Amino acid sequence: MTTGDADPRHEDEPHPTNTLDDTVHQRVRLGILTIAREADRVDFGFLKTQLAVTDGNLSRHVKVLEDSGLVSVEKGYAGRRPRTWVSLTPEGGRALERELRALRELVRRLDNGPARPGV
Amino acid sequence: MTTGDADPRHEDEPHPTNTLDDTVHQRVRLGILTIAREADRVDFGFLKTQLAVTDGNLSRHVKVLEDSGLVSVEKGYAGRRPRTWVSLTPEGGRALERELRALRELVRRLDNGPARPGV
């Protein structure tokens, strides 16, 4: 099988990666959104540990998500220690659902599709 | 549930997004790899249509994958028309498998995990 024949069953459907949104799909941001979905709000330090990223890297990605309205950021104190909490917004929840739908479809195709011999 | 409590069942495991490789995970590149996996080799023009990207954008991403050894690129003719074909390398197949494993785990967690109320 070669060239344009790549799995003709799917040729007319848009490819599932076309519906992925770069804002949500990026590795660290996808991590932030999925962890934030598991709680009402999630501590910045917890995100940092879970995602194994630096302060600067995490801040930058949280900012992108905040600017896109996908998370909200709250500052406060836990005792005397300043804390930052990140929460998924309803829009963020919907965006993550769309991403999940595309990922499920991608995984489904790859699980069912013909694998290359020898791979 | 708040802060570091985000789904304590998973607190000690590395988060599935940590094992994603940016070279493979990027939206267009993930599309190239998954389509290339469905055939021995896939035509550049077919990839362009399927992924709804420009020539320049596609070339750039194919180059990244080629430089990483995940695809090989072959130039030739179909009749008189110059053609470019992209094939998954064995290393590309393994990289895609690792990505798939992380995506499956991510989807599984999100499907089983507690969703935020109202989302």
Side-chain angles (χ1 to χ4, degrees), chain A residues 1-7 10-15 17-22 25-28 30-43 46 49-52 83 85 87-90 92-94 96-97 99-100 103-104 106-107 109-111 113-119, chain B residues 1-7 10-15 17-22 25-28 30-43 46 49-52 83 85 87-90 92-94 96-97 99-100 103-104 106-107 109-111 113-119:
Chain A
M1 203 166 56
T2 188
T3 70
D5 304 336
D7 203 351
H10 301 306
E11 208 152 332
D12 298 330
E13 306 162 29
H15 193 263
T17 56
N18 294 11
T19 62
L20 295 173
D21 174 344
D22 289 324
H25 184 68
Q26 196 281 338
R27 191 178 67 80
V28 176
L30 187 56
I32 297 168
L33 293 171
T34 55
I35 294 172
R37 188 173 181 260
E38 297 177 347
D40 291 333
R41 60 181 196 174
V42 60
D43 176 55
F46 180 73
T49 314
Q50 282 276 297
L51 300 174
R83 289 286 188 101
W85 292 282
S87 301
L88 201 64
T89 63
R94 286 189 293 270
L96 188 56
E97 272 308 316
E99 166 87 14
L100 258 179
L103 292 183
R104 270 196 216 98
L106 193 73
V107 168
R109 272 204 197 193
L110 284 166
D111 284 345
R116 285 191 69 212
V119 171
Chain B
M1 204 167 53
T2 188
T3 71
D5 304 338
D7 203 352
H10 301 307
E11 207 151 331
D12 298 329
E13 308 162 28
H15 194 263
T17 56
N18 295 11
T19 61
L20 294 173
D21 174 344
D22 288 325
H25 184 68
Q26 196 280 338
R27 191 176 68 79
V28 176
L30 187 56
I32 296 168
L33 293 171
T34 54
I35 294 171
R37 187 174 182 259
E38 297 177 346
D40 290 333
R41 60 182 196 174
V42 59
D43 176 54
F46 180 74
T49 314
Q50 282 275 299
L51 300 175
R83 288 287 189 101
W85 292 281
S87 301
L88 201 64
T89 64
R94 287 189 293 270
L96 187 55
E97 271 308 316
E99 166 87 15
L100 257 178
L103 292 183
R104 268 194 218 100
L106 193 73
V107 167
R109 272 204 196 191
L110 284 165
D111 285 344
R116 285 190 68 211
V119 170

Side-chain angles (χ1 to χ4, degrees), chain B residues 59-70:
Chain B
S59 295
R60 196 160 49 85
H61 287 300
V62 166
K63 181 78 167 52
V64 171
L65 293 173
E66 192 185 12
D67 289 349
S68 307
L70 305 184

Side-chain angles (χ1 to χ4, degrees), chain A residues 47-106:
Chain A
L47 282 176
K48 217 180 94 173
T49 314
Q50 282 276 297
L51 300 174
V53 286
T54 61
D55 266 324
N57 196 0
L58 181 57
S59 295
R60 195 160 48 85
H61 287 301
V62 166
K63 181 75 167 53
V64 171
L65 292 173
E66 191 184 14
D67 289 349
S68 307
L70 303 184
V71 301
S72 60
V73 175
E74 191 186 342
K75 287 177 187 291
Y77 285 85
R80 288 184 174 189
R81 296 186 57 185
R83 289 286 188 101
T84 301
W85 292 282
V86 176
S87 301
L88 201 64
T89 63
E91 195 181 334
R94 286 189 293 270
L96 188 56
E97 272 308 316
R98 280 192 298 274
E99 166 87 14
L100 258 179
R101 220 172 297 140
L103 292 183
R104 270 196 216 98
E105 170 60 18
L106 193 73

Side-chain angles (χ1 to χ4, degrees), chain B residues 67-88:
Chain B
D67 289 349
S68 307
L70 305 184
V71 301
S72 60
V73 175
E74 190 187 342
K75 287 176 189 291
Y77 286 85
R80 288 188 176 185
R81 298 185 57 184
R83 288 287 189 101
T84 301
W85 292 281
V86 176
S87 301
L88 201 64

